[in-house]
Amino acid sequence: MIADEKSPRRRFLGHSRGLAGLVVAFAPGLRLVDLALAKPDDQAVTDSVRWGMLVDTTRCSSGCDACVSACSSEHGLGVSDAPEIDAQWIRKVDLVDRHSGRQLSLPLMCLHCEDAPCVAVCPTGASFRRDDGIVLVNKHTCIGCRYCMMACPYKARSFIHINVSGQLAHSPRGKGTVEGCTFCVHRVDADRAPACVEACSTAGHHALLFGNLSDSGGELARRLAEEPSSALRSDLATNPRVRHRGV
């Protein structure tokens, strides 16, 4: 259903754009817009590359948290004034089939959907999708309304309601804004794999595979073509760029 442009909700969203000028306090010199537009002008992001990931639960160990630890370290998570309630951009969920007793461990993160609900409901455009498919939040224009959190069916975003410290230049954070997995965009733009993928490989599990979906000769595209995989909540038609095997 398409909302009427004259509906109260639509009018509210229109008025709320005027709140985009609210200032969010980051550490001196940190600008999230620089992260969002990390590539130099002569290497502009285009849709010729479509980044994606395969999560192979048949290779994921329930006792391993290498991906979670690597993400926290890479982005300075868990170092706030209240680390016990600080965000996790990737989390592990252990599932058990009640009928068969089959167990599996499932890493969950932002799925970087092609039709991202978080982007669709954002009143300021702070939630946006790059041409290469990476979904990000510009915290300079995020007003903390949390519409994106309510819209996300994967619970992949969190709100920073506490003071944060130990911020990193490549991953600035700020109280009063929403955040989530960035696919380690600063690494991707430097031709490196996301921290979680690298850590999983180092641990010897190789449960996370990152690559260019448009590269038919690449390992990611090849495995997706040859092995069965699925999209979480495929009924929602968000077309996530993160696919799962063994779920």
Side-chain angles (χ1 to χ4, degrees):
M1 179 182 295
I2 299 176
D4 186 343
E5 289 292 338
K6 296 181 180 180
S7 69
R9 179 177 181 275
R10 180 66 66 181
R11 289 199 304 270
F12 170 75
L13 293 179
H15 295 328
S16 65
R17 287 186 174 87
L19 300 177
L22 290 177
V23 176
V24 178
F26 293 101
L30 296 184
R31 287 172 47 81
L32 190 75
V33 69
D34 295 333
L35 169 63
L37 306 173
K39 281 186 174 291
D41 292 339
D42 61 348
Q43 299 179 33
V45 173
T46 70
D47 59 7
S48 62
V49 173
R50 296 186 305 129
W51 296 115
M53 183 183 292
L54 173 64
V55 178
D56 189 344
T57 63
T58 66
R59 302 185 180 189
C60 184
S61 172
S62 62
C64 177
D65 68 346
C67 58
V68 178
S69 297
C71 178
S72 295
S73 176
E74 184 74 21
H75 297 283
L77 307 180
V79 294
S80 67
D81 292 346
E84 69 278 3
I85 60 172
D86 203 356
Q88 280 188 325
W89 292 3
I90 180 172
R91 64 190 190 278
K92 293 286 294 292
V93 177
D94 290 331
L95 305 177
V96 179
D97 188 317
R98 294 180 180 177
H99 300 288
S100 67
R102 176 175 174 262
Q103 301 181 24
L104 63 88
S105 188
L106 178 66
L108 289 175
M109 67 201 78
C110 173
L111 303 188
H112 298 272
C113 305
E114 183 174 336
D115 296 311
C118 59
V119 173
V121 302
C122 180
T124 67
S127 289
F128 67 100
R129 180 175 170 274
R130 298 203 322 180
D131 286 343
D132 59 7
I134 299 179
V135 176
L136 298 170
V137 179
N138 185 337
K139 296 179 185 177
H140 294 285
T141 53
C142 175
I143 59 174
C145 67
R146 287 170 272 189
Y147 286 158
C148 60
M149 292 178 62
M150 292 183 280
C152 177
Y154 310 107
K155 299 187 184 299
R157 288 193 168 183
S158 55
F159 180 71
I160 308 178
H161 53 82
I162 53 179
N163 293 321
V164 293
S165 57
Q167 295 186 69
L168 305 174
H170 60 261
S171 190
R173 309 172 65 211
K175 182 179 180 180
T177 62
V178 174
E179 63 182 12
C181 164
T182 65
F183 261 168
C184 286
V185 64
H186 60 289
R187 282 173 159 257
V188 173
D189 286 345
D191 297 321
R192 299 177 62 194
C196 60
V197 177
E198 187 176 275
C200 185
S201 177
T202 300
H205 300 301
H206 305 282
L208 303 177
L209 176 62
F210 183 80
N212 179 7
L213 294 167
S214 295
D215 180 8
S216 59
E219 184 180 1
L220 177 61
R222 179 186 60 79
R223 287 189 58 185
L224 287 175
E226 297 176 355
E227 303 173 2
S229 64
S230 60
L232 296 184
R233 291 300 308 272
S234 59
D235 58 305
L236 298 177
T238 61
N239 193 18
R241 293 295 177 82
V242 178
R243 302 280 296 191
H244 292 76
R245 182 170 183 265
V247 177

